[in-house]
Amino acid sequence: MDPAMFLDRFDGQSKLLVRALLCGSSGAHIALEVFHRQQRANPDMSLSNFIETLCQDEVCGPDRTGQPLTVGPLVWLFTALLKKNLLSFIHLVYLSLPCPPVLHLLKCLCQDPHRTPWMTAMIRQLERNLEVHNEEPLYTPHCGQRLKELSQRLIGSDETGGWAKCFSRQTSECERASGSSELGTQRKRKGSFLALDSDGEDTGQESKRIKVEVCGSESLDDEEKSATTELSGRLGNDAPAETPAEERTPAAAAAAESPSDVLPEHIKVSVLQIKELLESQTEWDQSSMEMFEVLNDCDPGQVELLCSMLRFPDLPEQTLPKLCSSILAPSFDFSYSTAATLIKSLLLQKILSLSEPASRCLVTAGTSLCSRYPRPVCHALIGPVLEEKTIGNPQAELLNRLVESCLDSHYRLLVLQMTFKMTWGEAVLSIIHSLLDSRLDLSEELFTQFTGQLVSQGPKFTKSVKFAKMMLTVLTKYNSHMTAEHKQSLHSCLMVNETFLKKSLQAALKRITNS
């Protein structure tokens, strides 16, 4: 069953735990961290609702065509990996849980027609921990027989030491369960082999570790691997499409590997919590805002990956003010790279896609970020927007608002210099005019560069009223910067002007000549 189909059965806190349990082989430990955070936020929280939902009856589809539908606990519909993580998580927290709900869950899992030998062993171990009378061995009879056969083969081989010592302990419980005197004899024989092999004890121990790891890795079934792959897709479904290795950026290469493997465990937990918060319709409180403190622990590459995993470019605009308020709290002081990544992810695509004036939420988010981080906004937002040839009045109006209300003269000069490196359009002219109206403190070198741009790009705007108005501002407000060379250059530019402002422009230039 697709995990997304049963998530809606759980409440908000329980849903976070299920998402954590989906996190591959480390799901149990991630769920433990989520549980501890929930307890810190609400010391009275309980897992009773979580366990009760797991034990609720659900309709289970047949394994094969032609079989009837059955009814069983919801936990039966989990994947093998999720059940394994669930039992591991319960084993980590059972001391803090009431006994009856846990026993009810274990009873449901005992009746699962698809339980694995590992599940059986863990269920029996938990029952022992809960002091439930259970004399059965932790392993199944089939597993005991396999151990017996394997130990017999190893006794006759040249490899003793570590393996023999390992299985002499494991088969002792099998002997008690089966009452086999033959196995007892074999254990004595293995003891003699151990005595002969005492000089190589360290080698044997290393061999045991290597072989157990190999055996464990080979025992992963296809279902567990597919579940891990599914989670990686869930967390990284906004990662860039696959590209040749030589063309990938470091962040893209990291995302292509697997976001859940690249990020540290505590960041993965925070990603799940922030996802849940962004998808919820509830009001944000102080604990909600504290979730974003994980950004302080991220380097720029991790921030870029986190923004992609959380789908920041696709967030609804009404979420932006709350989100910006959280990340602009006094406890945050981002580096230039981190701030630029966040600003680009949150605002760039939304501004480029505007076809009508920006919403109040988008304006609020833009002005708050621009006031706190003006330089990153200039380079990661204003510059890329200006470089787009398809922008129109909605983009120009929003950028003008940011420039006028949030940027001081230093950053306004920076934006003006950015326009020297791009092809001008009507929207760019509007922004340049707004900058000039604020009476920038232009150096002689900068004014010379600007007049050079007016002359080189002016022929495209012979009929543009916006360009003519901008020229009039230059001639009236910056006449003290004019030299003979500037006047000569601008005179040739005005000669080709075809707007109704041509005479006014020529008169303004003439007054400068006579001064």
Side-chain angles (χ1 to χ4, degrees):
M1 180 177 178
D2 182 1
M5 296 178 63
F6 60 70
L7 278 176
D8 291 339
R9 312 287 204 284
F10 297 89
D11 58 32
Q13 289 185 328
S14 300
K15 194 179 295 185
L16 277 177
L17 287 174
V18 176
R19 288 183 182 274
L21 292 171
L22 285 166
C23 292
S25 58
S26 58
H29 293 285
I30 295 177
L32 180 63
E33 291 187 44
V34 172
F35 178 58
H36 286 163
R37 289 196 177 196
Q38 291 176 339
Q39 281 189 316
R40 289 195 293 270
N42 178 16
D44 297 328
M45 76 156 293
S46 169
L47 291 182
S48 297
N49 290 338
F50 174 63
I51 296 176
E52 181 181 346
T53 304
L54 292 173
C55 299
Q56 286 179 355
D57 285 340
E58 291 285 338
V59 177
C60 304
D63 293 334
R64 294 184 296 273
T65 305
Q67 290 186 337
L69 294 173
T70 58
V71 176
L74 174 62
V75 71
W76 286 9
L77 302 178
F78 282 20
T79 62
L81 176 61
L82 210 158
K83 293 174 191 174
K84 181 177 179 180
N85 286 339
L86 172 64
L87 284 169
S88 299
F89 170 67
I90 296 296
H91 185 262
L92 293 171
V93 300
Y94 74 92
L95 290 174
S96 61
L97 302 179
C99 188
V102 177
L103 290 177
H104 186 201
L105 175 62
L106 296 180
K107 182 178 179 181
C108 292
L109 288 169
C110 275
Q111 299 169 353
D112 186 353
H114 301 293
R115 69 183 182 277
T116 63
W118 186 94
M119 288 175 56
T120 300
M122 181 57 82
I123 290 169
R124 291 175 182 173
Q125 180 62 55
L126 282 168
E127 289 176 341
R128 291 184 183 185
N129 292 343
L130 295 170
E131 300 180 353
V132 175
H133 185 69
N134 191 338
E135 297 296 334
E136 297 183 59
L138 295 181
Y139 47 79
T140 62
H142 176 67
C143 181
Q145 184 62 29
R146 292 283 300 276
L147 285 174
K148 180 178 177 181
E149 294 172 357
L150 182 59
S151 62
Q152 287 174 338
R153 289 199 300 271
L154 290 172
I155 289 172
S157 70
D158 294 334
E159 295 187 30
T160 56
W163 269 110
K165 190 173 181 179
C166 176
F167 280 100
S168 66
R169 291 195 300 268
Q170 292 189 7
T171 53
S172 62
E173 190 169 359
C174 183
E175 178 192 5
R176 291 196 300 271
S178 62
S180 170
S181 60
E182 179 185 358
L183 188 57
T185 304
Q186 292 166 355
R187 290 172 60 238
K188 292 179 182 178
R189 289 171 60 194
K190 282 188 287 183
S192 63
F193 274 91
L194 282 171
L196 293 173
D197 196 42
S198 59
D199 292 339
E201 182 174 352
D202 292 341
T203 305
Q205 289 295 330
E206 183 66 24
S207 173
K208 176 179 72 177
R209 283 194 295 270
I210 294 173
K211 292 181 180 179
V212 168
E213 288 173 4
V214 172
C215 179
S217 64
E218 290 177 351
S219 67
L220 285 175
D221 56 18
D222 292 339
E223 187 173 11
E224 180 171 340
K225 293 177 183 177
S226 65
T228 305
T229 303
E230 177 187 350
L231 178 74
S232 299
R234 176 201 303 276
L235 292 178
N237 52 10
D238 283 320
E242 186 173 351
T243 56
E246 62 272 11
E247 297 179 7
R248 290 178 183 167
T249 63
E257 290 174 8
S258 173
S260 59
D261 294 335
V262 172
L263 295 177
E265 292 295 329
H266 72 286
I267 297 180
K268 286 189 275 187
V269 173
S270 296
V271 168
L272 294 171
Q273 292 178 317
I274 295 173
K275 264 192 172 182
E276 183 69 22
L277 177 65
L278 294 174
E279 292 171 1
S280 69
Q281 302 298 321
T282 58
E283 290 295 324
W284 291 18
D285 53 18
Q286 184 61 34
S287 62
S288 302
M289 297 181 181
E290 290 173 357
M291 293 182 187
F292 294 93
E293 291 181 357
V294 69
L295 292 169
N296 284 326
D297 303 330
C298 297
D299 60 39
Q302 290 171 337
V303 171
E304 183 177 355
L305 187 55
L306 185 145
C307 291
S308 175
M309 292 160 59
L310 293 174
R311 301 183 183 181
F312 275 0
D314 300 326
L315 288 179
E317 291 186 3
Q318 59 267 27
T319 306
L320 291 178
K322 293 188 293 185
L323 178 55
C324 291
S325 176
S326 298
I327 64 177
L328 293 174
S331 57
F332 294 97
D333 186 18
F334 298 132
S335 66
Y336 168 84
S337 299
T338 296
T341 299
L342 287 170
I343 290 164
K344 182 177 180 180
S345 296
L346 287 171
L347 301 180
L348 181 57
Q349 289 304 317
K350 288 181 171 58
I351 293 177
L352 290 177
S353 61
L354 286 175
S355 57
E356 55 186 22
S359 66
R360 180 183 58 83
C361 292
L362 185 56
V363 172
T364 301
T367 53
S368 60
L369 289 170
C370 190
S371 299
R372 179 74 173 272
Y373 298 104
R375 180 172 289 274
V377 166
C378 289
H379 288 287
L381 186 65
I382 296 178
V385 172
L386 292 177
E387 290 173 354
E388 285 290 328
K389 297 180 180 179
T390 58
I391 63 171
N393 287 333
Q395 289 83 5
E397 289 175 6
L398 178 56
L399 293 191
N400 278 331
R401 190 162 182 173
L402 296 181
V403 168
E404 293 170 4
S405 60
C406 305
L407 298 183
D408 60 24
S409 58
H410 172 73
Y411 293 110
R412 292 181 185 184
L413 284 175
L414 175 61
V415 174
L416 180 65
Q417 288 176 287
M418 287 180 176
T419 65
F420 298 169
K421 302 175 183 179
M422 62 187 66
T423 302
W424 292 354
E426 290 289 321
V428 176
L429 293 179
S430 175
I431 293 164
I432 295 175
H433 192 190
S434 177
L435 289 168
L436 295 172
D437 267 339
S438 64
R439 291 186 177 274
L440 298 175
D441 185 14
L442 299 177
S443 64
E444 181 179 348
E445 178 184 0
L446 192 57
F447 186 76
T448 300
Q449 294 177 12
F450 179 56
T451 54
Q453 291 293 315
L454 290 174
V455 173
S456 63
Q457 305 213 41
K460 297 183 299 183
F461 301 105
T462 56
K463 298 181 179 180
S464 171
V465 175
K466 282 186 179 179
F467 184 81
K469 288 181 177 180
M470 183 183 68
M471 286 286 292
L472 192 58
T473 299
V474 173
L475 296 174
T476 55
K477 292 187 177 182
Y478 296 88
N479 51 14
S480 61
H481 293 71
M482 293 287 182
T483 64
E485 291 80 6
H486 297 148
K487 297 171 190 174
Q488 182 63 35
S489 299
L490 294 178
H491 179 267
S492 61
C493 184
L494 296 181
M495 290 298 294
V496 296
N497 190 278
E498 300 178 17
T499 67
F500 67 92
L501 291 172
K502 181 175 181 177
K503 290 185 179 181
S504 299
L505 291 169
Q506 291 174 329
L509 183 62
K510 186 176 180 181
R511 283 194 296 271
I512 295 174
T513 303
N514 294 334
S515 62

